[in-house]
Amino acid sequence: MEQKLSIALQTLYSTRRDDPHAIRMMIRLRDPIDRSVLRKAVDMTMQRYPYFCVRLRKKGRQYVFAENTQPVVISDTLKGTELNSESSNYHMIAFSAEGDRIVLDLFHGLTDGIGAYEVIRTLLYYYCSARYDEKLSREGIRLAGDVISAEEWDDPVAAVREFPAPQPSEMAPALDLTGVLQLRNDRSKTVYSIALSEAEFMSFNAKHKGSPGTMTALLLSRAVAKLNPDADAPIRSILCVNQRKAFRAPAAHQSLVGFSMLEYDDGLRSLPIDRQVQEFRRRVFEQSCDETILSGAKAAVSIIEMLENMETDQQRLDAMSAADEMLNRNMTAVISYVGKAGFGDAEKYIRDFRTWTRCPDRGIIIEISAVNGRFIFDIIQPFSDPVYVNGFLQELKDNGVAYEIQDVMKLTLPNIKLLWSE
């Protein structure tokens, strides 16, 4: 078995040793982790996801994912292990456990948050069924022995024969959060985690005809605007969008993330909050139609083709550095919300759930998880100063949304061993 990297090629050449393109999901359960039960649960889980049991190999001038039959590693510390290295059995996915916590680490080029949630659903089904000796419902849970459809396995991007033409994307650079408040020398990547009642936050959204993603983007934009009243650069949020619908491939396992651009412009600022969030929702809907999503995917395909035609790894690294620099210039914040976790009967055993990803150079990313009756907002920023977090919390308070600060932690993601750096 061998898989072409395709869309993962961009992610591979964007990752750096000090800035890995990884997803880390941290689950705190009700009781201490039983490692023997976890070992069996991980083994059963990975039987269900053979397309994630791979190692990176070089083939000519290109790289491929090749089958990896070694066990997926479970580390004894939440620091995890280096992916694609001897310590991870050369897997691009690994687990760790300590106390009452389980961590899933994986290379973002393998999949996105939606694909990672599928793995967690399967793992929790197997682990909690055995740990608590309970027959859990398997509804909506992928299990070992399932027939894996071509739709789940195959790359939907490769199947498209003709894409709509990419839309013009020239725009003024967005507000740089590290510069306007003199945070440029504060380079400690930090995560502020807060919890909200799911019922209360959804009620607040319903009252204003908003959604969790658009409302979060709006509240953060309002906070940034108040903290930078004289800034000329636009405040521009990127809302992550699932591309699977546009590709007619809802079960696809690949990383299929599109973006909606939400600019907090002068025309919005004088409007009441309900009109503001409704306008954000309108813009998301407008940018989420199939043609717009596919035209954005065409731009990504063009980058992949450019990388494939380059002669050396260094040329590809330089090209993706330039592309990343352009992306960073164009955004103030990123909001990522994949929807309710849907962990089924196992959800009642979860005390806490976090999602961490790569931190932007100049802005903030908010990863939103909805598990066991709570929203968890992981606010990831390239500096430690809480000035923007405090502004966001003030927006929640001003709008009557109760919250609880969970903790403040240094951002840690697993290193990914890169073959060209050996």
Side-chain angles (χ1 to χ4, degrees):
M1 181 199 71
E2 192 174 272
Q3 303 175 51
K4 186 179 178 182
L5 261 61
S6 185
I7 200 72
L9 199 63
Q10 282 183 275
T11 315
L12 180 66
Y13 284 104
S14 288
T15 199
R16 301 290 185 275
R17 176 165 290 278
D18 60 345
D19 190 20
H21 237 320
I23 301 174
R24 167 163 281 187
M25 290 186 170
M26 297 164 283
I27 313 150
R28 186 182 182 193
L29 296 181
R30 193 177 70 184
D31 300 295
I33 303 304
D34 185 317
R35 292 194 61 84
S36 63
V37 173
L38 180 61
R39 178 71 265 173
K40 294 175 183 176
V42 167
D43 291 343
M44 290 297 292
T45 296
M46 298 318 299
Q47 286 182 35
R48 178 56 182 80
Y49 300 97
Y51 41 73
F52 293 151
C53 294
V54 295
R55 65 180 296 172
L56 190 66
R57 287 191 183 277
K58 191 160 191 178
K59 186 177 182 181
R61 291 189 293 111
Q62 305 296 335
Y63 291 93
V64 296
F65 287 138
E67 183 179 12
N68 187 343
T69 60
Q70 295 192 75
V72 169
V73 166
I74 306 174
S75 302
D76 293 327
T77 168
L78 299 185
K79 292 180 181 178
T81 188
E82 186 176 47
L83 301 178
N84 194 45
S85 72
E86 184 178 2
S87 62
S88 63
N89 283 338
Y90 297 98
H91 278 286
M92 305 293 278
I93 184 171
F95 295 86
S96 55
E98 186 178 332
D100 55 3
R101 290 175 167 86
I102 300 172
V103 172
L104 165 65
D105 289 326
L106 75 163
F107 171 52
H108 207 332
L110 281 182
T111 192
D112 50 24
I114 288 174
Y117 265 42
E118 294 289 358
V119 174
I120 296 291
R121 290 187 186 104
T122 305
L123 176 77
L124 289 176
Y125 173 88
Y126 283 125
Y127 178 81
C128 293
S129 293
R131 176 70 171 82
Y132 298 104
D133 192 23
E134 180 182 355
K135 185 175 177 58
L136 304 181
S137 170
R138 70 150 296 173
E139 183 178 357
I141 312 293
R142 297 175 179 178
L143 298 181
D146 290 349
V147 175
I148 301 177
S149 66
E151 177 196 304
E152 182 181 336
W153 188 283
D154 295 342
D155 180 2
V157 179
V160 177
R161 293 290 171 260
E162 186 174 348
F163 288 90
Q167 298 179 0
S169 58
E170 287 188 17
M171 57 186 72
L175 186 66
D176 177 356
L177 298 187
T178 67
V180 287
L181 290 178
Q182 289 72 50
L183 297 173
R184 208 172 289 278
N185 295 324
D186 180 358
R187 304 306 293 169
S188 180
K189 296 178 181 179
T190 307
V191 185
Y192 288 81
S193 295
I194 64 171
L196 289 71
S197 161
E198 181 181 353
E200 290 180 13
F201 191 56
M202 289 305 296
S203 176
F204 171 67
N205 276 277
K207 176 182 176 182
H208 297 291
K209 296 183 173 61
S211 65
T214 52
M215 182 62 78
T216 302
L218 177 63
L219 294 179
L220 182 60
S221 297
R222 286 162 61 97
V224 171
K226 289 174 183 177
L227 287 164
N228 300 283
D230 300 322
D232 294 327
I235 298 169
R236 187 180 298 122
S237 296
I238 292 178
L239 186 65
C240 295
V241 176
N242 180 9
Q243 294 180 325
R244 289 168 175 80
K245 176 178 174 291
F247 282 108
R248 307 291 190 269
H253 75 268
Q254 290 81 5
S255 186
L256 295 166
V257 183
F259 305 103
S260 291
M261 296 283 189
L262 298 174
E263 195 163 309
Y264 192 56
D265 49 44
D266 291 340
L268 278 177
R269 298 190 189 195
S270 62
L271 299 176
I273 188 171
D274 55 346
R275 293 278 304 281
Q276 290 181 349
V277 76
Q278 288 166 38
E279 175 60 17
F280 264 23
R281 287 197 75 178
R282 186 195 68 78
R283 294 179 189 180
V284 171
F285 180 79
E286 189 177 72
Q287 295 177 63
S288 299
C289 68
D290 290 355
E291 184 172 357
T292 302
I293 291 291
L294 292 175
S295 69
K298 171 59 178 175
V301 168
S302 297
I303 293 175
I304 294 166
E305 291 172 347
M306 175 190 69
L307 294 174
E308 289 177 335
N309 289 328
M310 289 179 172
E311 294 291 330
T312 67
D313 290 323
Q314 190 59 54
Q315 288 175 330
R316 297 179 184 120
L317 289 167
D318 291 344
M320 284 312 302
S321 289
D324 286 345
E325 173 66 19
M326 181 179 296
L327 178 61
N328 275 311
R329 283 202 310 269
N330 287 336
M331 67 183 186
T332 306
V334 178
I335 312 298
S336 177
Y337 174 54
V338 302
K340 286 178 66 67
F343 293 148
D345 290 346
E347 196 156 324
K348 61 178 176 280
Y349 297 112
I350 300 174
R351 295 176 62 187
D352 190 36
F353 189 93
R354 310 289 180 87
T355 301
W356 291 3
T357 51
R358 188 188 197 192
C359 181
D361 288 340
R362 300 184 178 96
I364 287 173
I365 180 168
I366 301 183
E367 291 282 353
I368 306 173
S369 307
V371 180
N372 202 13
R374 297 197 309 167
F375 279 106
I376 301 293
F377 286 27
D378 287 299
I379 306 173
I380 304 167
Q381 54 182 40
F383 41 81
S384 60
D385 194 303
V387 56
Y388 291 111
V389 174
N390 290 341
F392 177 72
L393 296 180
Q394 188 63 49
E395 286 295 316
L396 291 174
K397 184 178 180 180
D398 290 347
N399 286 283
V401 179
Y403 62 84
E404 177 185 347
I405 299 176
Q406 298 292 96
D407 50 46
V408 182
M409 301 175 70
K410 179 180 178 181
L411 176 66
T412 55
L413 294 171
N415 285 330
I416 301 172
K417 189 175 184 180
L418 304 171
L419 297 185
W420 49 80
S421 64
E422 293 180 344

